[in-house]
Amino acid sequence: MNDKEKALIEAKANILKALGHPTRLWMAEQLAGGERCVCELAENIDADFSTISKHLTILKQAGVVIDEKRGKQVYYKLKVPCILNFMPCVEAVLQANAQTHIDLLK
Amino acid sequence: MNDKEKALIEAKANILKALGHPTRLWMAEQLAGGERCVCELAENIDADFSTISKHLTILKQAGVVIDEKRGKQVYYKLKVPCILNFMPCVEAVLQANAQTHIDLLK
DNA sequence: TGCATATATGGTAGTTTGACCAAATATAAA
DNA sequence: TTTATATTTGGTCAAACTACCATATATGCA
């Protein structure tokens, strides 16, 4: 693997890593339904505001979301909406895992 | 968010997290081309064998891959092949990010 | 059986992450 | 301009991650 390929795979892994935290994945799923301000997201997350803000920063740095300040509030939205298209497949993995457990019990 | 929803999002995030490491993502991409034994994967990774083995264990525990021992070797393959279907979109994010940088330079 | 090969596991050290608190910044309203 | 609200930033600390080394296990062959 050369340097270019390595940089590419690192960049891609970084995006998946950004989505690989429950709070951040939940945020992304919320944003799939349209933009939200930080306060709206915060309503349903049991964590410090600063924690929420940092999670959003990570999503932003990964390029998953973009933000826009309007008045006192900051609105976030998905930068490339297709980013959640693969969730059905992620769920298929969960299904397959569950099936494995069931099989083990037989 | 209730307990069930929380458990679901955690399970999904865990899968993304497993793929959110360059070495593991690379492995998954290799396996998209068909099963490989550990030694074949190791050929192209500059890391200790034990490290490689542990990465594969993480993918296995996440349910992304399954393994099968045949003779002296252990073969790994994707458990649910669609898991890499979204890479084009991940790449679209990278494209969008690159575009943002270009725009900033204008 | 004894040895070499393939892979996994246990232990350890350095690095990164994630949560909270406190403080800073920005904006709108009084 | 003072005040309240919305969000971000900096600091700290415990927990989790990752890499390496050494060691253990399993299998096929001599």
Side-chain angles (χ1 to χ4, degrees):
Chain A
M1 190 159 43
N2 62 37
D3 286 356
K4 193 177 169 187
E5 287 170 328
K6 195 173 292 186
L8 178 60
I9 202 95
E10 276 172 11
K12 289 193 286 186
N14 196 48
I15 291 169
L16 294 173
K17 189 177 166 187
L19 291 167
H21 183 286
T23 301
R24 294 194 294 266
L25 181 57
W26 181 86
M27 288 169 158
E29 289 187 348
Q30 293 303 300
L31 299 181
E35 67 170 18
R36 302 274 189 278
C37 70
V38 180
C39 49
E40 286 171 316
L41 293 170
E43 271 173 23
N44 296 287
I45 300 175
D46 181 27
D48 196 90
F49 232 87
S50 65
T51 300
I52 291 170
S53 181
K54 279 175 185 170
H55 278 309
L56 285 166
T57 300
I58 289 169
L59 286 174
K60 188 164 77 169
Q61 283 177 346
V64 172
V65 304
I66 48 180
D67 63 336
E68 184 187 338
K69 184 154 195 171
R70 289 210 297 278
K72 247 186 306 190
Q73 283 138 59
V74 179
Y75 287 83
Y76 281 83
K77 65 179 171 189
L78 291 184
K79 187 167 179 182
V80 179
C82 67
I83 201 67
L84 288 177
N85 283 177
F86 60 90
M87 289 317 289
C89 180
V90 170
E91 279 155 22
V93 172
L94 292 179
Q95 278 284 136
N97 291 175
Q99 192 58 53
T100 300
H101 286 140
I102 291 168
D103 291 347
L104 285 174
L105 293 173
K106 278 177 186 168
Chain B
M1 189 158 44
N2 61 37
D3 286 355
K4 192 176 169 186
E5 287 171 330
K6 195 173 293 184
L8 178 60
I9 202 95
E10 276 172 12
K12 289 193 285 187
N14 195 48
I15 292 170
L16 294 172
K17 188 176 168 188
L19 291 168
H21 183 287
T23 301
R24 294 193 294 265
L25 182 57
W26 182 86
M27 287 169 159
E29 289 187 349
Q30 293 303 301
L31 299 181
E35 66 169 19
R36 302 275 190 276
C37 69
V38 181
C39 50
E40 286 170 316
L41 293 169
E43 271 174 23
N44 295 288
I45 301 174
D46 182 26
D48 196 90
F49 231 87
S50 65
T51 301
I52 291 170
S53 182
K54 278 175 186 171
H55 279 308
L56 284 166
T57 299
I58 290 169
L59 287 174
K60 188 164 76 170
Q61 283 177 346
V64 173
V65 304
I66 48 180
D67 63 336
E68 184 187 337
K69 185 154 194 170
R70 289 211 296 278
K72 247 186 306 190
Q73 283 139 60
V74 177
Y75 287 83
Y76 280 83
K77 66 180 172 189
L78 292 183
K79 186 167 178 183
V80 179
C82 66
I83 201 67
L84 289 175
N85 283 177
F86 61 90
M87 289 316 290
C89 181
V90 170
E91 277 155 23
V93 173
L94 292 178
Q95 278 284 136
N97 292 175
Q99 193 58 51
T100 301
H101 286 140
I102 290 167
D103 293 347
L104 285 173
L105 293 173
K106 276 179 185 164

